[in-house]
Amino acid sequence: MKSMFRSLRTLLVVVAALATASCGFHLRGSYNLPDEIQKLSVTSFDRYGKLTREMKTQLRLHDIDVIPPAQSIANLHLKSESYGENTLSLYQNSRVAEKQFAYTVSYSVTVPEKGSYNFSTSLSRTYLDNPLTALAKSVEEEMLAQEMRVEATKQIMRQLARMTAHIENFERKEAEEKALRELYQGVESDKSAISVETRFDGKDDERKGKPLSSFTTGGEEAPQ
């Protein structure tokens, strides 16, 4: 009997896990963010806008400390958001039957001494435009806009989790450039100094055989 209850409990746990996964739910702190952005400041084109508030909510939900901007702290800057709509189909009376809404967010992530990166995320949703429910139309559109804002912030969270690859790529390029600079500096320091001297071979006895100019590759003019 006990084994049957244990099996039933295990089955319920599995079903619950599948249900939460299918609806897009993420457990708190499930995003594996780089250490450089475990603390993050958020700036925005609209400081008190709905997108900014939703973004901060997502960050706190995943245990990211949202703190005031500082030079030594990574920054997420929400640059802009834009909406658009297209007509997909019409009724026989030429009224709009189906629409597609598009939503785009542009943002940048700056990591101190690790570079600044620009991104954008875009979403689209379709809905039927029922002319008999004109009063509820604005409410439905606002709900749709809020749904896309929430989904956009989740996509930004996923991009933040992928920042490790961008940071590693930046560090690799920095190391390569440093190695090249050191290599070239070493080659220049090993070069032997070469002196170039011009002498006068004309008929003037006073100047004949005397150097007119002298130059070395070290950049110093030789004494006359």
Side-chain angles (χ1 to χ4, degrees):
M1 181 66 70
K2 289 183 180 180
S3 61
M4 183 178 69
F5 279 118
R6 281 198 297 268
S7 300
L8 181 60
R9 185 172 58 186
T10 302
L11 178 61
L12 290 174
V13 170
V14 172
V15 171
L18 291 174
T20 55
S22 63
C23 69
F25 177 77
H26 293 279
L27 295 177
R28 182 180 178 87
S30 60
Y31 291 110
N32 186 22
L33 272 63
D35 293 338
E36 291 86 350
I37 54 178
Q38 290 296 327
K39 293 182 179 180
L40 194 67
S41 65
V42 178
T43 54
S44 173
F45 68 98
D46 186 358
R47 184 176 180 182
Y48 301 106
K50 295 178 180 179
L51 174 63
T52 306
R53 296 199 302 269
E54 184 61 39
M55 189 70 250
K56 290 181 178 180
T57 298
Q58 283 290 329
L59 290 168
R60 294 189 178 103
L61 181 65
H62 293 90
D63 297 328
I64 305 302
D65 293 332
V66 180
I67 60 179
Q71 191 173 3
S72 59
I73 298 298
N75 172 260
L76 168 63
H77 178 59
L78 302 175
K79 299 164 69 174
S80 65
E81 65 176 342
S82 61
Y83 296 89
E85 63 177 57
N86 295 312
T87 299
L88 297 181
S89 62
L90 301 172
Y91 291 112
Q92 290 183 348
N93 60 2
S94 298
R95 299 193 65 170
V96 176
E98 187 178 16
K99 285 184 177 181
Q100 180 185 60
F101 277 96
Y103 180 64
T104 301
V105 176
S106 297
Y107 61 100
S108 63
V109 180
T110 301
V111 182
E113 300 182 358
K114 301 294 175 67
S116 182
Y117 310 88
N118 296 311
F119 304 100
S120 66
T121 182
S122 299
L123 304 100
S124 62
R125 296 288 187 274
T126 60
Y127 87 104
L128 297 176
D129 189 1
N130 188 347
L132 301 178
T133 58
L135 187 62
K137 179 180 177 181
S138 60
V139 176
E140 184 178 0
E141 289 181 354
E142 176 54 34
M143 291 177 61
L144 193 60
Q146 177 60 18
E147 176 189 332
M148 289 193 291
R149 274 193 294 269
V150 172
E151 182 58 33
T153 59
K154 291 180 179 179
Q155 289 193 13
I156 293 174
M157 287 299 306
R158 287 191 282 272
Q159 181 59 61
L160 290 176
R162 292 192 291 267
M163 283 300 298
T164 300
H166 293 284
I167 293 173
E168 289 177 350
N169 186 48
F170 178 87
E171 291 175 339
R172 184 173 63 253
K173 288 183 178 179
E174 284 285 296
E176 291 173 354
E177 291 177 1
K178 181 180 179 181
L180 286 174
R181 287 195 299 268
E182 292 177 349
L183 176 63
Y184 286 131
Q185 288 174 358
V187 170
E188 290 178 358
S189 63
D190 291 340
K191 285 183 178 179
S192 301
I194 300 175
S195 297
V196 178
E197 190 175 79
T198 304
R199 291 182 176 272
F200 181 75
D201 291 327
K203 296 182 179 180
D204 190 339
D205 293 336
E206 292 184 0
R207 301 181 62 187
K208 189 173 182 179
K210 294 182 179 180
L212 295 177
S213 64
S214 180
F215 176 78
T216 64
T217 55
E220 297 180 356
E221 189 174 349
Q224 299 292 327

